[in-house]
Amino acid sequence: MSESTKVLPRTQAALSLFNALGYTKEELERPLVGVVNSFNEIVPGHMHLDKITEAVKAGILMAGGTPVEFPAIAVCDGIAMGHQGMKYSLVTRDLIADSTECMAIAHHLDAMVMIPNCDKNVPGLLMAAARLNLPTVFVAGGPMMAGHVGGKKVSLSAMFEAMGAYTAGKIDSEALNDYTCNTCPTCGSCSGMYTANSMNCLTEAIGMGLRGNGTIPAVYSERLRLAKHAGMQVMKMYEADIRPRDIMTEDAFYNALTVDMALGCSTNTMLHLPAIAHECDVEINPDMVNAISDKTPNLCHLAPAGTVHMEDLNAAGGIYAVMAELNKKNLLKTDCVTVTGKTVGENIAGAVNLNPEIIRPIDHPFSEKGGLTMLRGSLAPETSVVKQSAVLPEMMVHEGPARVFDSEEDAQSAINAGKIKPGDVVVIRYEGPKGGPGMREMLNPTSAIMGMGLGNSVALITDGRFSGATRGACIGHVSPEAAAGGPIAFVEDGDIIKIDIPNRTLDLMVSDEEMAKRKASWTPKAPAVTTGYLARYAKQVSSANKGAILE
């Protein structure tokens, strides 16, 4: 029974307001379950969440709870990409976490169902779940179906690369329009293993989502059934007193990182998992990430790393099938409890890999090491990250002259003007958490490089971040960032940069003496934003290697 139903003088005013809402005595005698609905009319991944929410509420009612719906915001990264709006993407993660915390505690809720779908909602709501530590289940809106262009399946990364191809004169306006009209055919989170789908898949791996949460397509009725079961399951968790911090343990984060490596997830997971872990008093550091990557085979090549899409992964058995393959070599911590009330081992016991071309068998992986790796060196003393599963073999080791830009816009202009040549290393700085502020994604310049046919000869390095749709020798999260006086601030045009992904190094081939001179004469760039939320964010946000958390 919710405390708000007890006949105490201090609760009577609250009860009178519940009466104003139309709640009955019978409803208020049941647990109040917060239903966080990320629905809006501007994000394709969220446009259908009203239907998911109604299904969740039905499940809660069937299982004896009283659902209480309230909203969470969302920014569509694809719409915000390439302009000042992208500064407002990552920063919403903390707004989502903070506002959900406020609503749940202010109204004394008993349990929660979180309904996110796109990039920042999933980690933001996981952060809130850890803080609140109320019985909680996640159910996402699900992935978009792949588009079709020229008889082939495509996803959003193909759209952005088509823009680069058009700029380079490789395709005409009619072909570009074909991509524009047919790349994104349905509601849902974009159909490759981009950040939204990466994080929704990892809710299964970490134990906070039911089977299929990461992969069942948004348009399938199975997604509505999953939502009803999520509503029913949260009531079982409430009765059993299973809470997020019982689930999101150090071993659970180990499992999430392991599945991350097997899937070849977005590099943004290296911002979000550390931030979620921080809320659970668990530390994720680069050495831990690389140790897991070293022993975890990469089993999947979904777009942008390959031509496979989320609907294909779902048909092949989904995340549980991937986990079952990993468990054949004892790569998972199978005793972890999950929202099912069962352990990881019990959950995946009957899972079968239905398509070894989509999910490679553990003995026949795409590579022996995981999809992501962290690089260090004189250019990134703390850390940087690359999706090595999406890098062409000829770019795994690369050495070339730096072409330095102090903003994404300047770099994009140079790329569009044909000023980037084979062998160059494009450096985009002052785009980190503080310097941006907001750590914009660099999908436009990376896609332009690939679309222009330079992906096998040009690398890109930034203290900003990348979309999950990025592929190629693209190294992000360089820490310390330029705004904090990291070495990336002192790179000059023509400096030689050496990238060695197999040996996990990223070095600026400039002497210590010369770097000291440059640092002594360095004047920090003036803040890009001086008012409003972004200015406050810049003052509080940590380095990317800590997950860009607010301190």
Side-chain angles (χ1 to χ4, degrees), residues 396-418:
M396 294 294 283
V397 177
H398 180 75
E399 188 170 334
R403 296 297 311 281
V404 184
F405 304 94
D406 285 351
S407 72
E408 177 190 359
E409 287 85 355
D410 289 349
Q412 188 67 47
S413 294
I415 295 167
N416 290 346

Side-chain angles (χ1 to χ4, degrees), residues 141-154:
M144 184 183 290
M145 300 296 286
H148 291 82
V149 175
K152 295 180 180 180
K153 285 186 177 182
V154 296

Side-chain angles (χ1 to χ4, degrees), residues 3 27 35 69 83 101 115 152 168 176 182 201 206 215 261 263 267 291 302 333 362 375 390 445 494 496 532 541:
E3 184 181 337
E27 286 175 300
V35 179
E69 179 186 342
H83 59 87
E101 173 192 351
I115 308 175
K152 295 180 180 180
L176 180 63
N182 296 300
C201 288
I206 208 169
T215 61
M261 297 303 169
L263 290 173
T267 52
L302 281 85
K333 310 286 188 179
I362 193 73
L375 311 180
I496 299 301
V541 69

